[in-house]
Tab-separated table of all heavy atoms in Angstrom:
chain	number	residue	atom	x	y	z
A	80	THR	N	101.013	128.868	109.508
A	80	THR	CA	100.830	129.591	108.266
A	80	THR	C	99.407	130.051	108.218
A	80	THR	O	98.995	131.146	107.804
A	80	THR	CB	100.987	128.718	106.932
A	80	THR	OG1	102.155	127.969	107.117
A	80	THR	CG2	101.137	129.613	105.736
A	81	PHE	N	98.394	129.218	108.705
A	81	PHE	CA	96.961	129.343	108.471
A	81	PHE	C	96.642	129.620	107.002
A	81	PHE	O	96.945	128.646	106.225
A	81	PHE	CB	96.462	130.604	109.424
A	81	PHE	CG	94.936	130.651	109.513
A	81	PHE	CD1	94.193	129.538	109.583
A	81	PHE	CD2	94.250	131.840	109.433
A	81	PHE	CE1	92.778	129.585	109.698
A	81	PHE	CE2	92.913	131.931	109.523
A	81	PHE	CZ	92.107	130.854	109.718
A	82	THR	N	96.074	130.657	106.574
A	82	THR	CA	95.786	130.877	105.092
A	82	THR	C	96.871	131.615	104.459
A	82	THR	O	96.699	131.809	103.191
A	82	THR	CB	94.416	131.530	104.879
A	82	THR	OG1	94.392	132.718	105.647
A	82	THR	CG2	93.282	130.619	105.362
A	83	GLY	N	97.955	132.060	105.081
A	83	GLY	CA	99.105	132.673	104.436
A	83	GLY	C	99.277	134.138	104.556
A	83	GLY	O	99.995	134.741	103.963
A	84	TYR	N	98.341	134.685	105.323
A	84	TYR	CA	98.222	136.166	105.398
A	84	TYR	C	99.581	136.771	105.946
A	84	TYR	O	100.174	137.674	105.360
A	84	TYR	CB	97.107	136.656	106.255
A	84	TYR	CG	96.829	138.167	106.054
A	84	TYR	CD1	95.872	138.732	105.212
A	84	TYR	CD2	97.563	139.052	106.912
A	84	TYR	CE1	95.764	140.061	105.096
A	84	TYR	CE2	97.386	140.471	106.729
A	84	TYR	CZ	96.414	140.876	105.929
A	84	TYR	OH	96.201	142.213	105.831
A	85	SER	N	100.015	136.187	107.050
A	85	SER	CA	101.349	136.755	107.584
A	85	SER	C	102.538	136.518	106.762
A	85	SER	O	103.374	137.286	106.615
A	85	SER	CB	101.510	136.244	108.997
A	85	SER	OG	101.270	134.882	108.991
A	86	ALA	N	102.596	135.247	106.082
A	86	ALA	CA	103.731	134.937	105.196
A	86	ALA	C	103.767	135.850	104.074
A	86	ALA	O	104.830	136.440	103.668
A	86	ALA	CB	103.505	133.480	104.787
A	87	ILE	N	102.525	136.115	103.499
A	87	ILE	CA	102.601	137.114	102.268
A	87	ILE	C	102.920	138.544	102.742
A	87	ILE	O	103.690	139.216	102.046
A	87	ILE	CB	101.230	136.980	101.563
A	87	ILE	CG1	101.045	135.599	100.931
A	87	ILE	CG2	101.131	138.012	100.449
A	87	ILE	CD1	99.641	135.306	100.315
A	88	SER	N	102.399	138.874	103.916
A	88	SER	CA	102.696	140.221	104.382
A	88	SER	C	104.220	140.350	104.573
A	88	SER	O	104.906	141.356	104.153
A	88	SER	CB	102.119	140.496	105.774
A	88	SER	OG	100.710	140.395	105.771
A	89	MET	N	104.899	139.300	105.150
A	89	MET	CA	106.297	139.490	105.367
A	89	MET	C	107.129	139.404	104.032
A	89	MET	O	108.053	140.236	103.819
A	89	MET	CB	106.771	138.207	106.314
A	89	MET	CG	106.252	138.412	107.679
A	89	MET	SD	107.171	137.206	108.802
A	89	MET	CE	106.350	135.712	108.439
A	90	ALA	N	106.595	138.596	103.096
A	90	ALA	CA	107.276	138.515	101.743
A	90	ALA	C	107.187	139.949	101.101
A	90	ALA	O	108.193	140.278	100.435
A	90	ALA	CB	106.595	137.515	100.941
A	91	GLU	N	106.095	140.652	101.360
A	91	GLU	CA	106.006	141.970	100.755
A	91	GLU	C	107.049	142.838	101.323
A	91	GLU	O	107.341	143.998	100.628
A	91	GLU	CB	104.637	142.550	100.868
A	91	GLU	CG	103.514	141.923	100.073
A	91	GLU	CD	102.114	142.436	100.346
A	91	GLU	OE1	102.001	143.251	101.174
A	91	GLU	OE2	101.235	142.046	99.529
A	92	GLY	N	107.626	142.659	102.397
A	92	GLY	CA	108.576	143.533	103.079
A	92	GLY	C	110.045	143.117	102.760
A	92	GLY	O	110.940	143.578	103.467
A	93	LEU	N	110.176	142.154	101.902
A	93	LEU	CA	111.628	141.582	101.823
A	93	LEU	C	112.221	142.388	100.629
A	93	LEU	O	111.716	142.608	99.611
A	93	LEU	CB	111.575	140.052	101.386
A	93	LEU	CG	110.977	139.135	102.579
A	93	LEU	CD1	110.961	137.746	102.026
A	93	LEU	CD2	111.868	139.324	103.795
A	94	SER	N	113.549	142.827	100.972
A	94	SER	CA	114.154	143.592	99.921
A	94	SER	C	115.379	142.768	99.269
A	94	SER	O	115.547	142.953	98.113
A	94	SER	CB	114.878	144.768	100.650
A	94	SER	OG	114.020	145.463	101.417
A	95	ASP	N	115.978	141.875	99.987
A	95	ASP	CA	117.088	141.093	99.436
A	95	ASP	C	116.503	140.065	98.365
A	95	ASP	O	115.571	139.386	98.693
A	95	ASP	CB	117.702	140.262	100.576
A	95	ASP	CG	119.051	139.635	100.198
A	95	ASP	OD1	119.002	138.821	99.161
A	95	ASP	OD2	120.008	139.905	100.787
A	96	PRO	N	117.114	140.058	97.140
A	96	PRO	CA	116.591	139.281	96.133
A	96	PRO	C	116.557	137.702	96.439
A	96	PRO	O	115.759	137.029	95.965
A	96	PRO	CB	117.335	139.542	94.870
A	96	PRO	CG	118.529	140.476	95.377
A	96	PRO	CD	118.141	140.898	96.716
A	97	ASP	N	117.503	137.322	97.418
A	97	ASP	CA	117.533	135.996	97.791
A	97	ASP	C	116.741	135.603	99.045
A	97	ASP	O	116.909	134.465	99.435
A	97	ASP	CB	119.064	135.621	98.120
A	97	ASP	CG	119.832	135.695	96.810
A	97	ASP	OD1	119.309	135.376	95.762
A	97	ASP	OD2	121.152	136.122	96.956
Side-chain angles (χ1 to χ4, degrees):
T80 320
F81 190 42
T82 52
Y84 191 95
S85 46
I87 294 172
S88 300
M89 290 191 285
E91 288 181 353
L93 297 178
S94 309
D95 191 304
D97 293 328

